[in-house]
Amino acid sequence: DVSLFKNFTVRESMKLQLRAEAENIANHPLFSAPNTVPTNSNFGRVTGTLDGEGARRAFVGLKFIF
């Protein structure tokens, strides 16, 4: 996870915060469990990845503090 924040002073008691956050920035895959059916020709093989769990996500936000 990576986060970047930048604060800007609007007035003495008012601030604006720009936020950028990212999850799984290196984009490493999360593999699904191996096939455990002994009669299947793919027994013991990992044939996919988990969808959504290891996806790269980025967020940008603006926060007003007063």
Side-chain angles (χ1 to χ4, degrees):
D1 296 345
V2 174
S3 300
L4 296 171
F5 301 92
K6 176 67 178 171
N7 291 319
F8 299 97
T9 303
V10 179
R11 294 203 177 170
E12 188 174 320
S13 62
M14 294 183 218
K15 294 183 173 138
L16 201 58
Q17 184 180 72
L18 179 62
R19 308 168 63 111
E21 301 177 32
E23 295 177 352
N24 196 19
I25 195 94
N27 205 24
H28 293 290
L30 293 175
F31 295 107
S32 58
N35 190 326
T36 57
V37 180
T39 57
N40 193 316
S41 63
N42 285 330
F43 178 71
R45 290 187 182 178
V46 176
T47 57
T49 58
L50 298 175
D51 293 331
E53 290 295 319
R56 186 182 302 164
R57 291 180 271 197
F59 307 97
V60 176
L62 196 60
K63 184 177 182 182
F64 181 63
I65 304 165
F66 59 95

